Amino acid sequence: MFTCSACQATYASTTPRWRCECGHYLRHTTTGIFPKTDLNRRRPSLWRYFEAFGISNPDNIVSLGEGYTPLIPDQLFGQDVSLKMDQLSPTGSFKDRGSTVMLSKLKEWGLQRLVEDSSGNAGASVAAYASRAGIKADVYIPAFTSAGKAAQIALYGANLIKVPGTREDTAQAALAAAETEFYASHNWSPYFLNGLKSLAYELAEQLNWETPDWIVAPLGGGSLILGLYAGWRELVEAGYVAKLPRLAAVQAANCAPVYQAWLQGLDEVPAVQKQATAAEGIAIAQPVKGKDIMQALRATAGIVCTVTDEEIWDTLPQLSRRGVYVEPTAAAAPAAIRQLTANGTIVPGDKVVVELTGVGLKATDKIVEHYDCFS
Ligand SMILES: [Zn+2]
């Protein structure tokens, strides 16, 4: 069942729907969680948590073997951390967690065509899974998107539409197209978010069902923070883990609407004027689910912080020299470890997970242009 986030109207989830009649986003009520004792017999993919995603028939699963990415020990700025290697997902970003579940539902609904808009990674991910599902996809991206992501979208077989102007102009163009086609937006879809819950389940399983003190993740549209919170809350309710982790959300200093709302103690997230940032994947002036993001951060005793482009570009080579090659957006969360340890938010001995979101190969053009040391 879907429930509106604003007017509390409810809808059956048996027919396609992406928002409430009143225009606000929907929440999905899932009806169960996976049996913990059965996991050892299941395959190492996120579909081992099938019961938690709201898909009725396993025959409708659209999969590329996503999930179950490695969790490796490392050190950042002197702090012991575990790196969650989601940049190793099938299309090179964590978005595959959401796309596999969203496209499985679209297939279950019998849809033939979709519209999506993205700063790049979600577009590439949705394009891949749509092709896999036999669904035609129109993917709108800002003209400034990294070449690697645009190439992925086109080669996966989607109809790629580059929109001049801002990320918000791209969303407007997609919304106009959604008047006639189904809007399979990763920012709106309750099923995309269901897929993100797998990150919580996986981390809990990989950590032997011990909750870490902190999970540090980048924040743009908020699917990571919302997925981690929803998934972990279910784990607590099922008695699989003892408590919630604290969530540290990292925004780009040049586009930090949630950070601004946090400073002002607001319950909603007003839009901000943003400037260009190396973290193109989280440059969202106003997240759709701002109200839920604020609630998730407060409920987990979490925090929001920002990192500058300079900190991102400084951190990226440090990761690379440890053999971990990520795109600039994905260096935002690791970069934040420096200030979070310096200001005593994270203390020595804390168990810290850092989510790595996208692989460096996607942004080769931007990386070469920035360091300018390869010619
Ligand atoms: Zn409503």
Side-chain angles (χ1 to χ4, degrees):
M1 190 174 78
F2 299 132
T3 307
C4 176
S5 59
C7 75
Q8 313 303 324
T10 58
Y11 304 90
S13 54
T14 43
T15 48
R17 172 169 289 281
W18 65 271
R19 68 176 165 186
C20 181
E21 293 297 331
C22 82
H24 286 86
Y25 65 91
L26 298 169
R27 301 189 182 111
H28 181 240
T29 314
T30 39
T31 49
I33 193 166
F34 53 91
K36 188 179 170 186
T37 48
D38 196 44
L39 286 178
N40 284 341
R41 283 181 285 166
R42 300 189 180 189
R43 290 179 34 185
S45 130
L46 67 74
W47 286 100
R48 67 206 266 110
Y49 314 116
F50 173 80
E51 292 88 343
F53 300 141
I55 305 297
S56 304
N57 183 349
D59 291 344
N60 292 320
I61 291 174
V62 182
S63 177
L64 289 161
E66 57 291 312
Y68 237 72
T69 55
L71 183 68
I72 66 165
D74 213 321
Q75 250 200 7
L76 287 169
F77 305 106
Q79 171 71 38
D80 287 330
V81 298
S82 296
L83 299 178
K84 182 58 171 163
M85 308 279 274
D86 268 1
Q87 84 278 19
L88 304 180
S89 301
T91 75
S93 91
F94 78 97
K95 303 280 188 184
D96 294 344
R97 294 184 182 277
S99 297
T100 184
V101 173
M102 182 170 77
L103 266 298
S104 298
K105 194 63 197 181
L106 264 54
K107 189 178 169 192
E108 194 154 86
W109 278 337
L111 287 171
Q112 305 288 316
R113 214 180 165 97
L114 66 82
V115 175
E116 154 77 318
D117 63 287
S118 158
S119 63
N121 281 339
S125 182
V126 167
Y129 284 86
S131 283
R132 194 90 179 165
I135 294 172
K136 283 271 178 213
D138 293 333
V139 177
Y140 291 72
I141 61 169
F144 59 77
T145 300
S146 290
K149 299 175 188 180
Q152 268 187 299
I153 294 168
L155 280 167
Y156 283 138
N159 180 29
L160 175 70
I161 301 118
K162 289 187 181 179
V163 183
T166 65
R167 172 70 182 85
E168 286 64 39
D169 293 330
T170 299
Q172 283 307 317
L175 267 171
E179 295 292 326
T180 51
E181 301 292 347
F182 186 78
Y183 189 36
S185 166
H186 64 286
N187 284 322
W188 285 80
S189 169
Y191 289 98
F192 193 92
L193 201 54
N194 278 355
L196 264 298
K197 294 190 301 185
S198 66
L199 179 59
Y201 309 148
E202 240 174 72
L203 286 171
E205 207 187 341
Q206 288 174 317
L207 294 167
N208 277 326
W209 309 100
E210 274 190 38
T211 300
D213 296 295
W214 287 98
I215 301 178
V216 186
L219 171 60
S223 61
L224 281 169
I225 294 297
L226 295 173
L228 282 166
Y229 174 55
W232 226 287
R233 208 180 45 195
E234 289 175 357
L235 293 172
V236 170
E237 282 166 9
Y240 292 180
V241 297
K243 59 169 187 167
L244 295 170
R246 299 179 74 180
L247 300 179
V250 185
Q251 296 220 282
N254 284 355
C255 181
V258 178
Y259 178 70
Q260 292 300 334
W262 184 258
L263 288 185
Q264 295 165 50
L266 305 179
D267 292 329
E268 308 257 354
V269 180
V272 292
Q273 286 290 331
K274 66 182 178 186
Q275 294 170 292
T277 168
E280 64 180 9
I282 50 173
I284 293 177
Q286 186 178 32
V288 172
K289 299 179 180 174
K291 189 168 61 177
D292 285 5
I293 294 169
M294 299 305 283
Q295 212 254 324
L297 290 169
R298 291 202 172 104
T300 60
I303 55 131
V304 195
C305 65
T306 63
V307 292
T308 63
D309 278 16
E310 197 182 355
E311 289 176 287
I312 288 171
W313 289 119
D314 280 352
T315 304
L316 201 135
Q318 290 190 47
L319 286 162
S320 305
R321 282 162 203 165
R322 302 280 296 159
V324 177
Y325 190 54
V326 297
E327 62 168 315
T329 304
I337 296 294
R338 175 158 44 192
Q339 57 176 283
L340 293 175
T341 50
N343 67 18
T345 303
I346 290 174
V347 296
D350 273 356
K351 204 181 265 186
V352 180
V353 172
V354 180
E355 162 74 5
L356 299 179
T357 50
V359 74
L361 298 171
K362 284 170 169 286
T364 303
D365 55 341
K366 302 274 164 76
I367 291 170
V368 168
E369 188 187 322
H370 179 80
Y371 295 109
D372 193 27
C373 58
F374 309 106
S375 50

